[in-house]
Structures are given as C-alpha cells and as structure tokens.
Amino acid sequence: MSKVLKIDFIELASKVMLGQHPAAPQKNAFDLDYVGVKSSQFSFARLQEADPMLGVDMSSTGEVGCLGEDLNEALLKSILSVGYTIPGKNILLSTGDALQKADLLNASRLLAQNGYRLYATAGTYRYFVENGIPCTRALWPSECKDAELIGKNPEALSLIRDKKVDMVINIPKNFTHSELTNGYMIRRAAVDFNIPLFTNARLATAFIRSVTSMSIDDIQIKSWDEY
C-alpha cells in the first residue's frame, strides 16, 4: 500500500514513535488512476511431495507488487513476475463443488470463446456440457483402473506429464479420501512438471479475465515514477 499510494509509512511511524505529530495522509486508493496488485511466490517445487495448497499460514517466499492502468494489467504483470506464463491453448480444469463451479463458469466460457481447448475431470466435464461449454473429459488417477474408460479419454496425469496442457486449475471439493488423493496427485504433478497451477477460484477467474482481455504485447512498461 505504501508503494501504491506513494506514502512513506515507515517515516510516518518513526515520527510518531519519536513523539512528533505528522499530518495524517490524505491520499485514498479510490482516487488513484492506476491499480496496484501484489502476487506471492511459492517454493512448492523445492518441497518434495508437499501438497501445493494454501492454508491460513503465510507460505510465500517472496512477493512482487506491480502497477497497471487497470486491474487486468496490474494482475497480469504481477503473476507473470512471480514466474507464471500465459497459457497456450490447452487447459485442465477441476472446479470443485457446485458453488465453485458456478464461480468459474463465465471464466471457463471465456476460455472456450477465445480458442482454448478445455480438459475437465468428471464432475466439471458434466457441468460444462450441461452449460454449453465444449470440453474433453480427462480421467482422474483413480479412474485409470476402469477398463471401460481407459483409451476413451485422456488421463489427467498424462496430460500434465506430457506437457499437453499449459495451465491447471484444481479447486478441492471436499475432504474425502478419493478427492484428496486425486487432487493431490494432480496438483503435485503440475508443480513437478512446471505447469502453472491455480487452486483458488477467484484468483483463477481474475487471471482468465486478464489473459483473455489483453495480450502480453498490451502490457505497458513504465517506471514507478510514471504512475
């Protein structure tokens, strides 16, 4: 917030602790004509076998704050700055429970409308088909033992390991053993094979809106002082 508002809060705090009485800042984030977004960077790739899921504890090993003309540009800058890439044409989705599926519906439709090929696990596949979104079913690891399914649909893990998808969205649905096991294997494979992974529906939606509304060539390169 200090960088976005261009107010030195450390200096203000120091003056207060010294008994001085600095004037209260008058700037308001709603008055700015630019947006600031901070993205966290994680080290799951260095933590072998760890489940790349976020909890209530601070798990990041670094953060990058970026400014942009609007939310889409600022968000795209910050996510690219922590090592993510703009997906090519294939995306694997497993979108959680009913509420989370609904949250991601419009974003998933945006992907399809912009030429992305969607692979979806069973529940998400059915939901997309019911709502007119073209997609291909991808098998959970636990489904790969079913003789009737093998060969008819691609396996989710194989799509990741063979680098046939450029992004994975995996939203945990519940805490059942099968859900935790399947989800963990998908998430861990995405990290191990360096495929961008999103496990939060709101962040995934915001990122999709950014990549479908502007290209990397639209990003403006400006110094901090130019904003």
Side-chain angles (χ1 to χ4, degrees):
M1 182 60 73
S2 175
K3 293 294 185 183
V4 174
L5 293 177
K6 299 185 179 179
I7 297 174
D8 192 336
F9 288 118
I10 295 177
E11 180 183 3
L12 286 175
S14 300
K15 289 180 178 179
V16 171
M17 288 186 287
L18 291 172
Q20 300 179 22
H21 301 281
Q26 298 301 314
K27 281 189 176 181
N28 189 308
F30 292 103
D31 298 328
L32 303 177
D33 57 359
Y34 55 87
V35 176
V37 173
K38 182 171 67 173
S39 292
S40 300
Q41 187 168 24
F42 302 95
S43 297
F44 291 118
R46 300 181 183 180
L47 303 174
Q48 294 184 7
E49 299 184 2
D51 191 346
M53 278 294 299
L54 302 182
V56 295
D57 299 323
M58 176 63 75
S59 303
S60 68
T61 54
E63 298 166 326
V64 178
C66 293
L67 302 179
E69 297 294 330
D70 56 24
L71 175 61
N72 287 332
E73 183 181 31
L75 178 68
L76 196 54
K77 280 182 178 179
S78 65
I79 290 183
L80 293 177
S81 296
V82 295
Y84 277 47
T85 57
I86 294 177
K89 288 299 177 184
N90 300 325
I91 296 175
L92 173 64
L93 301 98
S94 176
T95 54
D97 60 25
L99 179 59
Q100 293 164 329
K101 282 180 170 61
D103 286 342
L104 274 162
L105 180 62
N106 289 334
S108 301
R109 183 172 283 115
L110 272 178
L111 289 172
Q113 291 172 348
N114 280 269
Y116 286 94
R117 181 175 184 180
L118 307 183
Y119 292 93
T121 52
T124 301
Y125 170 78
R126 288 193 297 270
Y127 186 73
F128 283 177
V129 171
E130 290 170 0
N131 285 276
I133 298 177
C135 63
T136 300
R137 181 176 173 182
L139 300 182
W140 283 113
S142 61
E143 293 178 316
C144 296
K145 300 175 183 179
D146 190 330
E148 294 183 3
L149 294 175
I150 294 175
K152 294 181 180 179
N153 304 99
E155 299 176 14
L157 286 180
S158 295
L159 291 172
I160 295 172
R161 292 168 178 166
D162 296 338
K163 296 292 185 79
K164 292 183 178 179
V165 291
D166 309 300
M167 185 170 80
V168 174
I169 298 174
N170 178 271
I171 314 297
K173 180 169 61 177
N174 53 47
F175 298 102
T176 62
H177 176 73
S178 61
E179 181 71 21
L180 290 175
T181 301
N182 280 320
Y184 165 75
M185 294 176 73
I186 296 296
R187 292 188 293 273
R188 190 64 236 180
V191 170
D192 291 340
F193 287 88
N194 199 30
I195 306 294
L197 169 69
F198 288 89
T199 59
N200 179 277
R202 292 181 62 188
L203 179 57
T205 295
F207 181 67
I208 289 168
R209 287 174 178 167
S210 296
V211 298
T212 55
S213 65
M214 62 187 305
S215 70
I216 195 168
D217 295 327
D218 296 324
I219 295 177
Q220 300 184 63
I221 306 301
K222 293 183 177 180
S223 69
W224 179 68
D225 292 333
E226 290 181 89
Y227 286 98

